[in-house]
Amino acid sequence: MKLQKQAEVTEYKAAGFIEKYQQLVRETVIPYQYEVLCDNAGTEKSHVIENFKNAAKALRGEDVGDGFYGMVFQDSDAGKWLEAAAYSLASKRDPELEAKADGLIALIAAAQDSDGYLNTRFTIADRDKRWQNLLEGHELYCAGHMAEAAAAYYEATGKRKLLDVCLKNAEHIYKRFIEDGVEGYPGHPEIELAMMKLYRASGDERCLKIAEHFVNVRGVDPTYYRRERDSRDWTVWGNNADDNDYQQSVRPVREQSDATGHAVRAVYLYTAMADLASEQGDRELKAACERLWKSITQRKMYVTGGIGSTVHGEAFSVDYDLPSDTAYAETCASIGLMFFASRMLEGRADAKYADVMEQAFYNTVLAGMALDGKSFFYVNPLESVKGISEVAPTHRHTIPVRPGWYACACCPPNVARAVMSFGKYAYGENEDTAFCHLYAAGDINLKNGISFTCETGYPYDFTVTYNIRSDGRLAVRLPHWSRDTKLTLNGCDAEFELKDGYAYVNASAGDVLVLTLDGEPRYIRGSSKVPELSGKACICRGPLVYCFEDIDNGDKVLNLQLKAGGKVTVSEESPFEDTKALDVEALVSEDDGSLYSAVFPELKRFTAKAVPYYCRANRGNVNMRVWLPMQAYDKS
Amino acid sequence: MKLQKQAEVTEYKAAGFIEKYQQLVRETVIPYQYEVLCDNAGTEKSHVIENFKNAAKALRGEDVGDGFYGMVFQDSDAGKWLEAAAYSLASKRDPELEAKADGLIALIAAAQDSDGYLNTRFTIADRDKRWQNLLEGHELYCAGHMAEAAAAYYEATGKRKLLDVCLKNAEHIYKRFIEDGVEGYPGHPEIELAMMKLYRASGDERCLKIAEHFVNVRGVDPTYYRRERDSRDWTVWGNNADDNDYQQSVRPVREQSDATGHAVRAVYLYTAMADLASEQGDRELKAACERLWKSITQRKMYVTGGIGSTVHGEAFSVDYDLPSDTAYAETCASIGLMFFASRMLEGRADAKYADVMEQAFYNTVLAGMALDGKSFFYVNPLESVKGISEVAPTHRHTIPVRPGWYACACCPPNVARAVMSFGKYAYGENEDTAFCHLYAAGDINLKNGISFTCETGYPYDFTVTYNIRSDGRLAVRLPHWSRDTKLTLNGCDAEFELKDGYAYVNASAGDVLVLTLDGEPRYIRGSSKVPELSGKACICRGPLVYCFEDIDNGDKVLNLQLKAGGKVTVSEESPFEDTKALDVEALVSEDDGSLYSAVFPELKRFTAKAVPYYCRANRGNVNMRVWLPMQAYDKS
């Protein structure tokens, strides 16, 4: 099979579930986040736009004093917002939004130094400190986010201004690190995946070379960060330069097998590795990606697609250390896992990648945002208990209700861009095939000429209808969780070739291809190697993980137990619009409150209500659990 | 009922289980720890004895340079060792040990300043810094441990030298903090409980006043530590002077209700409060003690009697936050809980105090020491998993196998003194009654004239025979866990008055009083308010909590589940000498190793073996669990 690419969808008009989310992001999140960038939202100061203005002034020789404010990576918020705006414009014209974006791009362009350098932190002040601190400085990280925005904005609008800014910036980076051979690689990977995108948007081979360079040089000399630290007299946060695990630089990436360190950094790096491996047919690099994929998805991932289980370094822990209550499981890390999955899919259409991509999206990624689009989670635990979550010393990070904004505002704009570019994850293509990785309702027109619509109420309905508008081959994913899957073409069983979990069907214009997936709720268990999950089960339906909240269960979530074989049915009513809750034949106990006792309370039948995990915490601070103890033993 | 006191046992000759432990401490632990103090044990440098020598030299005007080594509280190791040695000498003469102790006492006496000040850290150097840092300096803490040793040594040997040193030191403290009215109270409580002991040993009222003063002044002005910090230009560890929770000084102790902060500090303080309240008939103070007792034992205590569940500050967490795997549950904190319980018992003989005292001793305290007396745990989790314990970022403190010694060597000598003074916890007395709080075999001769022997194989046998040698009243505790308790006097049902869980029996010389407790193993559940314990059970027998180790269970501990009603019988063989293991009708599952799956493995019958928790980790690093998921549901 030929290599398939992320869909270069000229027009993906979302419908159904995805459209509703895109509308929320378009109408609520993107405008709100713009106000944040402008410091008009009444949230903690962002200063992003002011930083660009001040950098331009500084370049003109004006004294801007303490003109920079924010994190060292503050510029990246502009990049992420522009990228989300670009995807929004690609799906729906909006002159007002485009004008805002153009205005911001003009400010960014004005803040670029004559040599191509672009970063407000080291332009407003400390110009002599440029490139001194790759460990913490985030210059390449910010450059990457701007390049991702540039590629997306160019694709969406055809406007080159930001693209040219970023290409000039890339030229600067190319000269320094490749032509001049200056040592170093970024503490936070991002430039690598971004340069792959900029390369595809612009065709500029130097971008590809930059990506290749930073991927290949990483970890070859693990003493780099220590030497860098010793060579300068300043630091941003005092990061441990010897913690190569944290920054994925213990050894060359081709030799890595264990997903370690800061989870977002890790998956951003692996994304670039996978992309580059496919682009260059690099089997050794691909093999490393496969090992890292396995490490994450078979030993270090929550059932919600959350990764990076520990707050210590926002990092991957050791294998099977997946606590529910103290989980970090950063929203951005799951978005990064989607990136990684989509690049693995580009190398080989295997349903295992798409399954995980979907798992991350419908659970941890969507949970990152409130249903009204106005508040956001960084941290996505699988259990929340009033009086312990956020309060206990080990649980300070597990805030039970989404805050409106964060000083370190990485997750909210990341959710926005993931939602707005959903079509890129849902569909892929190569010369003769349309890949349907995810079931995303809408209108699909691919560059390879294949065109169809997709109708579905997924993830709450399990019939997916493809109305084919052009002759061509469709590769439709059959998810691992669907025990009963049907595929019909014009009402008859479809003939298809099954490969790696994809059904390859030849279709003609006018054909109607209908995929029927298994919508039965299912009990899921964890491996016995995960201590947290002994004797427990959770409930999933389609790609959705469900959870139990006190508010739906008479404040009895901590007393609930599942029973093997307990019927799970779709509720007639759901607390949330356009969603389905589940009624679960469960058990409840009521103890006398004594801390320890030899008297075991009776387990009584109880119909518990479960709601999708991503809907959690939209009704205040309530006890919540994904995993419940399960009674499985039949005495007889 | 009249106030009853900790037994002033002139002669408690232990037998049975306790004697075996005392012998271990006498023959192995005390000699070993002496070698540590002398830096002859081949462990990390202790320097305790060198510090005293150097302090004496410094007082003579000799230059000792960097003559102090160790923690700021290094002197306290000498006090704890001397105290354990004193108890050992009280139970068995040993001229060699007494000579060593006398030698050390001479060194200590020589290190005392002419004004009574006694602390090597601020004598060898930094004399101008004395009393500047009550928050961190541990001067009062060290004074307390020396005073405890002095009281015990005087009681054991009649020798006054250390007593006089400590009385002179107390005079110094009295002058400064009471006569001169210098503000302040100790960061680490200890002086308070110690001064109560020194008062009783010496009759010096100033000791009582010191205890009273530091109890009453604590937390009255919570800004004290901040002002103290601001008034000096040095720190030991940079402790947070505003963290009044940590140091139990948010409010006056009489107004406290919630056990917070560093667990050892907390229970040392509460011990003194309880002692003082009984001594002075102070109802308000006693009420505070009752509230704090409830806070600990009803909301913050492990089933093993471990307290202080979080590594963050070695502290109490919020209510019901009792994780098994990341538990801190310091050995010393459980020893402190025994202190607190014994003082509460002195105020009122209520079995609830003795039950907890016993729970702490037979589980967490004994678990603090290896069966051979040669290695020690600080931290006592209720679950240990290879590859996660000690390795995961949140589990660094949960070392799976006892190390030989610690730089901060508080727990090992604390275990030694708890074991050696077991008689003081086991027996109490007032004018006309002998209180049998714990079932400790041996010969008991009380100051009030009551004399008897106790024969029992407890905690592995549940018959306790008291052979009465003098007329008098015995108050025998009936533990809450014994569902089937019998008490006979000379073979017939004994007549007794039951009050607060104690059976009061009038006996005469020659009588044989036999208590038969319930030796049936029992399943225990936790409150549904403890998230960690949902759907789980553990197994206890008598005071012993049992645990499951991989080595006895075919490496299947993580796959084990209990079943309600599953028979538990005493094993014919135990892996450890003079102990009983249990055979448990349990269930085992074997999954395919996949991280998540909709396929649930069958639960098969499996006879699991449980061993006493205190015996854990004596056979290398193995998976261990106290709590297991329990299958309780009967489908029918």
Side-chain angles (χ1 to χ4, degrees), chain B residues 127-152:
Chain B
R127 266 185 244 187
D128 56 324
K129 291 181 179 167
R130 288 178 179 178
W131 301 124
Q132 278 188 6
N133 189 347
L134 299 192
L135 178 66
E136 305 169 311
H138 281 69
E139 287 155 292
L140 291 167
Y141 173 85
C142 291
H145 274 298
M146 212 53 88
E148 285 199 85

PDB file of all heavy atoms in Angstrom, chain B residues 127-152:
ATOM      1  N   ARG B 127      27.593  29.510  69.096  1.00  0.00           N
ATOM      2  CA  ARG B 127      27.009  29.691  70.422  1.00  0.00           C
ATOM      3  C   ARG B 127      26.079  30.909  70.463  1.00  0.00           C
ATOM      4  O   ARG B 127      25.130  30.955  71.230  1.00  0.00           O
ATOM      5  CB  ARG B 127      28.093  29.849  71.487  1.00  0.00           C
ATOM      6  CG  ARG B 127      28.406  28.508  72.126  1.00  0.00           C
ATOM      7  CD  ARG B 127      29.386  28.641  73.266  1.00  0.00           C
ATOM      8  NE  ARG B 127      30.609  27.939  72.924  1.00  0.00           N
ATOM      9  CZ  ARG B 127      31.621  27.760  73.773  1.00  0.00           C
ATOM     10  NH1 ARG B 127      31.566  28.257  74.997  1.00  0.00           N
ATOM     11  NH2 ARG B 127      32.680  27.091  73.390  1.00  0.00           N
ATOM     12  N   ASP B 128      26.386  31.874  69.592  1.00  0.00           N
ATOM     13  CA  ASP B 128      25.544  33.078  69.560  1.00  0.00           C
ATOM     14  C   ASP B 128      24.170  32.804  68.941  1.00  0.00           C
ATOM     15  O   ASP B 128      23.294  33.640  68.989  1.00  0.00           O
ATOM     16  CB  ASP B 128      26.249  34.184  68.773  1.00  0.00           C
ATOM     17  CG  ASP B 128      26.609  33.721  67.371  1.00  0.00           C
ATOM     18  OD1 ASP B 128      26.976  32.522  67.199  1.00  0.00           O
ATOM     19  OD2 ASP B 128      26.514  34.529  66.436  1.00  0.00           O
ATOM     20  N   LYS B 129      24.016  31.631  68.347  1.00  0.00           N
ATOM     21  CA  LYS B 129      22.731  31.317  67.701  1.00  0.00           C
ATOM     22  C   LYS B 129      21.795  30.497  68.585  1.00  0.00           C
ATOM     23  O   LYS B 129      20.708  30.113  68.165  1.00  0.00           O
ATOM     24  CB  LYS B 129      22.978  30.572  66.387  1.00  0.00           C
ATOM     25  CG  LYS B 129      23.617  31.469  65.332  1.00  0.00           C
ATOM     26  CD  LYS B 129      23.832  30.735  64.033  1.00  0.00           C
ATOM     27  CE  LYS B 129      24.449  31.682  63.002  1.00  0.00           C
ATOM     28  NZ  LYS B 129      24.963  30.968  61.833  1.00  0.00           N
ATOM     29  N   ARG B 130      22.234  30.228  69.809  1.00  0.00           N
ATOM     30  CA  ARG B 130      21.378  29.476  70.721  1.00  0.00           C
ATOM     31  C   ARG B 130      20.012  30.132  70.870  1.00  0.00           C
ATOM     32  O   ARG B 130      19.913  31.352  71.005  1.00  0.00           O
ATOM     33  CB  ARG B 130      22.031  29.387  72.106  1.00  0.00           C
ATOM     34  CG  ARG B 130      23.220  28.463  72.134  1.00  0.00           C
ATOM     35  CD  ARG B 130      23.852  28.455  73.528  1.00  0.00           C
ATOM     36  NE  ARG B 130      24.989  27.541  73.546  1.00  0.00           N
ATOM     37  CZ  ARG B 130      25.774  27.334  74.608  1.00  0.00           C
ATOM     38  NH1 ARG B 130      25.538  27.989  75.750  1.00  0.00           N
ATOM     39  NH2 ARG B 130      26.780  26.495  74.549  1.00  0.00           N
ATOM     40  N   TRP B 131      18.995  29.318  70.822  1.00  0.00           N
ATOM     41  CA  TRP B 131      17.598  29.736  71.063  1.00  0.00           C
ATOM     42  C   TRP B 131      17.075  30.724  70.029  1.00  0.00           C
ATOM     43  O   TRP B 131      16.009  31.298  70.221  1.00  0.00           O
ATOM     44  CB  TRP B 131      17.414  30.340  72.455  1.00  0.00           C
ATOM     45  CG  TRP B 131      17.780  29.444  73.595  1.00  0.00           C
ATOM     46  CD1 TRP B 131      18.672  29.710  74.583  1.00  0.00           C
ATOM     47  CD2 TRP B 131      17.251  28.138  73.872  1.00  0.00           C
ATOM     48  NE1 TRP B 131      18.759  28.661  75.468  1.00  0.00           N
ATOM     49  CE2 TRP B 131      17.887  27.677  75.049  1.00  0.00           C
ATOM     50  CE3 TRP B 131      16.326  27.312  73.246  1.00  0.00           C
ATOM     51  CZ2 TRP B 131      17.617  26.433  75.609  1.00  0.00           C
ATOM     52  CZ3 TRP B 131      16.060  26.068  73.805  1.00  0.00           C
ATOM     53  CH2 TRP B 131      16.700  25.638  74.973  1.00  0.00           C
ATOM     54  N   GLN B 132      17.818  30.933  68.934  1.00  0.00           N
ATOM     55  CA  GLN B 132      17.318  31.873  67.920  1.00  0.00           C
ATOM     56  C   GLN B 132      16.285  31.242  67.014  1.00  0.00           C
ATOM     57  O   GLN B 132      15.540  31.940  66.340  1.00  0.00           O
ATOM     58  CB  GLN B 132      18.485  32.350  67.034  1.00  0.00           C
ATOM     59  CG  GLN B 132      19.295  33.451  67.632  1.00  0.00           C
ATOM     60  CD  GLN B 132      20.292  33.991  66.612  1.00  0.00           C
ATOM     61  OE1 GLN B 132      20.290  33.605  65.442  1.00  0.00           O
ATOM     62  NE2 GLN B 132      21.144  34.882  67.066  1.00  0.00           N
ATOM     63  N   ASN B 133      16.324  29.903  66.926  1.00  0.00           N
ATOM     64  CA  ASN B 133      15.534  29.237  65.894  1.00  0.00           C
ATOM     65  C   ASN B 133      14.763  28.063  66.495  1.00  0.00           C
ATOM     66  O   ASN B 133      15.110  26.908  66.304  1.00  0.00           O
ATOM     67  CB  ASN B 133      16.491  28.770  64.780  1.00  0.00           C
ATOM     68  CG  ASN B 133      15.747  28.253  63.563  1.00  0.00           C
ATOM     69  OD1 ASN B 133      14.535  28.015  63.621  1.00  0.00           O
ATOM     70  ND2 ASN B 133      16.465  28.090  62.473  1.00  0.00           N
ATOM     71  N   LEU B 134      13.705  28.406  67.218  1.00  0.00           N
ATOM     72  CA  LEU B 134      12.888  27.334  67.810  1.00  0.00           C
ATOM     73  C   LEU B 134      12.147  26.567  66.720  1.00  0.00           C
ATOM     74  O   LEU B 134      11.807  25.399  66.904  1.00  0.00           O
ATOM     75  CB  LEU B 134      11.885  27.914  68.812  1.00  0.00           C
ATOM     76  CG  LEU B 134      12.459  28.669  70.016  1.00  0.00           C
ATOM     77  CD1 LEU B 134      11.368  28.913  71.047  1.00  0.00           C
ATOM     78  CD2 LEU B 134      13.622  27.912  70.646  1.00  0.00           C
ATOM     79  N   LEU B 135      11.926  27.228  65.603  1.00  0.00           N
ATOM     80  CA  LEU B 135      11.206  26.583  64.502  1.00  0.00           C
ATOM     81  C   LEU B 135      11.947  25.333  64.030  1.00  0.00           C
ATOM     82  O   LEU B 135      11.349  24.287  63.834  1.00  0.00           O
ATOM     83  CB  LEU B 135      11.055  27.581  63.339  1.00  0.00           C
ATOM     84  CG  LEU B 135      10.375  27.057  62.076  1.00  0.00           C
ATOM     85  CD1 LEU B 135       8.917  26.712  62.343  1.00  0.00           C
ATOM     86  CD2 LEU B 135      10.470  28.090  60.945  1.00  0.00           C
ATOM     87  N   GLU B 136      13.259  25.463  63.845  1.00  0.00           N
ATOM     88  CA  GLU B 136      14.012  24.381  63.235  1.00  0.00           C
ATOM     89  C   GLU B 136      15.139  23.841  64.109  1.00  0.00           C
ATOM     90  O   GLU B 136      15.691  22.779  63.809  1.00  0.00           O
ATOM     91  CB  GLU B 136      14.672  24.864  61.935  1.00  0.00           C
ATOM     92  CG  GLU B 136      13.740  25.476  60.919  1.00  0.00           C
ATOM     93  CD  GLU B 136      14.537  26.160  59.818  1.00  0.00           C
ATOM     94  OE1 GLU B 136      15.454  26.953  60.142  1.00  0.00           O
ATOM     95  OE2 GLU B 136      14.269  25.885  58.633  1.00  0.00           O
ATOM     96  N   GLY B 137      15.511  24.576  65.153  1.00  0.00           N
ATOM     97  CA  GLY B 137      16.761  24.289  65.856  1.00  0.00           C
ATOM     98  C   GLY B 137      16.770  23.025  66.691  1.00  0.00           C
ATOM     99  O   GLY B 137      17.823  22.488  67.018  1.00  0.00           O
ATOM    100  N   HIS B 138      15.594  22.535  67.075  1.00  0.00           N
ATOM    101  CA  HIS B 138      15.477  21.281  67.821  1.00  0.00           C
ATOM    102  C   HIS B 138      16.221  21.277  69.153  1.00  0.00           C
ATOM    103  O   HIS B 138      16.523  20.209  69.684  1.00  0.00           O
ATOM    104  CB  HIS B 138      15.955  20.082  66.966  1.00  0.00           C
ATOM    105  CG  HIS B 138      14.952  19.618  65.965  1.00  0.00           C
ATOM    106  ND1 HIS B 138      14.592  20.355  64.864  1.00  0.00           N
ATOM    107  CD2 HIS B 138      14.219  18.475  65.880  1.00  0.00           C
ATOM    108  CE1 HIS B 138      13.691  19.692  64.147  1.00  0.00           C
ATOM    109  NE2 HIS B 138      13.434  18.559  64.723  1.00  0.00           N
ATOM    110  N   GLU B 139      16.513  22.436  69.729  1.00  0.00           N
ATOM    111  CA  GLU B 139      17.192  22.449  71.026  1.00  0.00           C
ATOM    112  C   GLU B 139      16.280  21.884  72.115  1.00  0.00           C
ATOM    113  O   GLU B 139      16.713  21.106  72.965  1.00  0.00           O
ATOM    114  CB  GLU B 139      17.618  23.878  71.392  1.00  0.00           C
ATOM    115  CG  GLU B 139      18.799  24.379  70.559  1.00  0.00           C
ATOM    116  CD  GLU B 139      18.824  25.896  70.469  1.00  0.00           C
ATOM    117  OE1 GLU B 139      17.911  26.464  69.814  1.00  0.00           O
ATOM    118  OE2 GLU B 139      19.716  26.501  71.070  1.00  0.00           O
ATOM    119  N   LEU B 140      15.009  22.292  72.074  1.00  0.00           N
ATOM    120  CA  LEU B 140      14.072  21.783  73.085  1.00  0.00           C
ATOM    121  C   LEU B 140      13.741  20.315  72.835  1.00  0.00           C
ATOM    122  O   LEU B 140      13.500  19.549  73.771  1.00  0.00           O
ATOM    123  CB  LEU B 140      12.795  22.643  73.092  1.00  0.00           C
ATOM    124  CG  LEU B 140      12.988  24.062  73.630  1.00  0.00           C
ATOM    125  CD1 LEU B 140      11.777  24.938  73.319  1.00  0.00           C
ATOM    126  CD2 LEU B 140      13.263  24.052  75.142  1.00  0.00           C
ATOM    127  N   TYR B 141      13.763  19.934  71.574  1.00  0.00           N
ATOM    128  CA  TYR B 141      13.525  18.528  71.209  1.00  0.00           C
ATOM    129  C   TYR B 141      14.632  17.639  71.793  1.00  0.00           C
ATOM    130  O   TYR B 141      14.375  16.620  72.426  1.00  0.00           O
ATOM    131  CB  TYR B 141      13.471  18.426  69.693  1.00  0.00           C
ATOM    132  CG  TYR B 141      13.390  17.031  69.121  1.00  0.00           C
ATOM    133  CD1 TYR B 141      12.162  16.388  68.996  1.00  0.00           C
ATOM    134  CD2 TYR B 141      14.536  16.363  68.680  1.00  0.00           C
ATOM    135  CE1 TYR B 141      12.075  15.108  68.452  1.00  0.00           C
ATOM    136  CE2 TYR B 141      14.469  15.098  68.140  1.00  0.00           C
ATOM    137  CZ  TYR B 141      13.236  14.469  68.026  1.00  0.00           C
ATOM    138  OH  TYR B 141      13.163  13.205  67.492  1.00  0.00           O
ATOM    139  N   CYS B 142      15.864  18.051  71.582  1.00  0.00           N
ATOM    140  CA  CYS B 142      16.991  17.274  72.112  1.00  0.00           C
ATOM    141  C   CYS B 142      16.972  17.265  73.639  1.00  0.00           C
ATOM    142  O   CYS B 142      17.238  16.232  74.268  1.00  0.00           O
ATOM    143  CB  CYS B 142      18.313  17.848  71.607  1.00  0.00           C
ATOM    144  SG  CYS B 142      18.557  17.592  69.834  1.00  0.00           S
ATOM    145  N   ALA B 143      16.637  18.403  74.215  1.00  0.00           N
ATOM    146  CA  ALA B 143      16.539  18.471  75.684  1.00  0.00           C
ATOM    147  C   ALA B 143      15.498  17.485  76.178  1.00  0.00           C
ATOM    148  O   ALA B 143      15.678  16.818  77.205  1.00  0.00           O
ATOM    149  CB  ALA B 143      16.181  19.892  76.109  1.00  0.00           C
ATOM    150  N   GLY B 144      14.409  17.381  75.430  1.00  0.00           N
ATOM    151  CA  GLY B 144      13.335  16.455  75.802  1.00  0.00           C
ATOM    152  C   GLY B 144      13.801  15.021  75.764  1.00  0.00           C
ATOM    153  O   GLY B 144      13.563  14.241  76.700  1.00  0.00           O
ATOM    154  N   HIS B 145      14.448  14.624  74.690  1.00  0.00           N
ATOM    155  CA  HIS B 145      14.879  13.222  74.608  1.00  0.00           C
ATOM    156  C   HIS B 145      15.890  12.891  75.710  1.00  0.00           C
ATOM    157  O   HIS B 145      15.896  11.785  76.244  1.00  0.00           O
ATOM    158  CB  HIS B 145      15.420  12.896  73.213  1.00  0.00           C
ATOM    159  CG  HIS B 145      14.316  12.502  72.279  1.00  0.00           C
ATOM    160  ND1 HIS B 145      13.536  11.394  72.493  1.00  0.00           N
ATOM    161  CD2 HIS B 145      13.829  13.082  71.154  1.00  0.00           C
ATOM    162  CE1 HIS B 145      12.622  11.296  71.533  1.00  0.00           C
ATOM    163  NE2 HIS B 145      12.777  12.312  70.712  1.00  0.00           N
ATOM    164  N   MET B 146      16.741  13.850  76.021  1.00  0.00           N
ATOM    165  CA  MET B 146      17.703  13.600  77.094  1.00  0.00           C
ATOM    166  C   MET B 146      16.969  13.444  78.428  1.00  0.00           C
ATOM    167  O   MET B 146      17.320  12.588  79.258  1.00  0.00           O
ATOM    168  CB  MET B 146      18.699  14.763  77.155  1.00  0.00           C
ATOM    169  CG  MET B 146      20.067  14.350  77.584  1.00  0.00           C
ATOM    170  SD  MET B 146      20.758  12.978  76.582  1.00  0.00           S
ATOM    171  CE  MET B 146      21.547  13.899  75.261  1.00  0.00           C
ATOM    172  N   ALA B 147      15.938  14.249  78.620  1.00  0.00           N
ATOM    173  CA  ALA B 147      15.168  14.184  79.869  1.00  0.00           C
ATOM    174  C   ALA B 147      14.414  12.861  79.974  1.00  0.00           C
ATOM    175  O   ALA B 147      14.330  12.266  81.061  1.00  0.00           O
ATOM    176  CB  ALA B 147      14.197  15.363  79.939  1.00  0.00           C
ATOM    177  N   GLU B 148      13.872  12.376  78.861  1.00  0.00           N
ATOM    178  CA  GLU B 148      13.198  11.069  78.890  1.00  0.00           C
ATOM    179  C   GLU B 148      14.190   9.982  79.300  1.00  0.00           C
ATOM    180  O   GLU B 148      13.872   9.084  80.086  1.00  0.00           O
ATOM    181  CB  GLU B 148      12.609  10.737  77.519  1.00  0.00           C
ATOM    182  CG  GLU B 148      11.356  11.516  77.171  1.00  0.00           C
ATOM    183  CD  GLU B 148      10.592  10.831  76.045  1.00  0.00           C
ATOM    184  OE1 GLU B 148       9.805   9.917  76.327  1.00  0.00           O
ATOM    185  OE2 GLU B 148      10.818  11.214  74.869  1.00  0.00           O
ATOM    186  N   ALA B 149      15.400  10.086  78.706  1.00  0.00           N
ATOM    187  CA  ALA B 149      16.443   9.113  79.041  1.00  0.00           C
ATOM    188  C   ALA B 149      16.804   9.205  80.522  1.00  0.00           C
ATOM    189  O   ALA B 149      16.962   8.191  81.217  1.00  0.00           O
ATOM    190  CB  ALA B 149      17.675   9.352  78.173  1.00  0.00           C
ATOM    191  N   ALA B 150      16.927  10.442  81.001  1.00  0.00           N
ATOM    192  CA  ALA B 150      17.333  10.659  82.393  1.00  0.00           C
ATOM    193  C   ALA B 150      16.323  10.038  83.350  1.00  0.00           C
ATOM    194  O   ALA B 150      16.697   9.355  84.315  1.00  0.00           O
ATOM    195  CB  ALA B 150      17.474  12.160  82.654  1.00  0.00           C
ATOM    196  N   ALA B 151      15.029  10.270  83.065  1.00  0.00           N
ATOM    197  CA  ALA B 151      13.983   9.724  83.925  1.00  0.00           C
ATOM    198  C   ALA B 151      14.035   8.195  83.922  1.00  0.00           C
ATOM    199  O   ALA B 151      13.961   7.550  84.973  1.00  0.00           O
ATOM    200  CB  ALA B 151      12.612  10.225  83.459  1.00  0.00           C
ATOM    201  N   ALA B 152      14.181   7.641  82.712  1.00  0.00           N
ATOM    202  CA  ALA B 152      14.195   6.185  82.593  1.00  0.00           C
ATOM    203  C   ALA B 152      15.437   5.589  83.259  1.00  0.00           C
ATOM    204  O   ALA B 152      15.379   4.549  83.927  1.00  0.00           O
ATOM    205  CB  ALA B 152      14.137   5.782  81.116  1.00  0.00           C
TER     206      ALA B 152
END
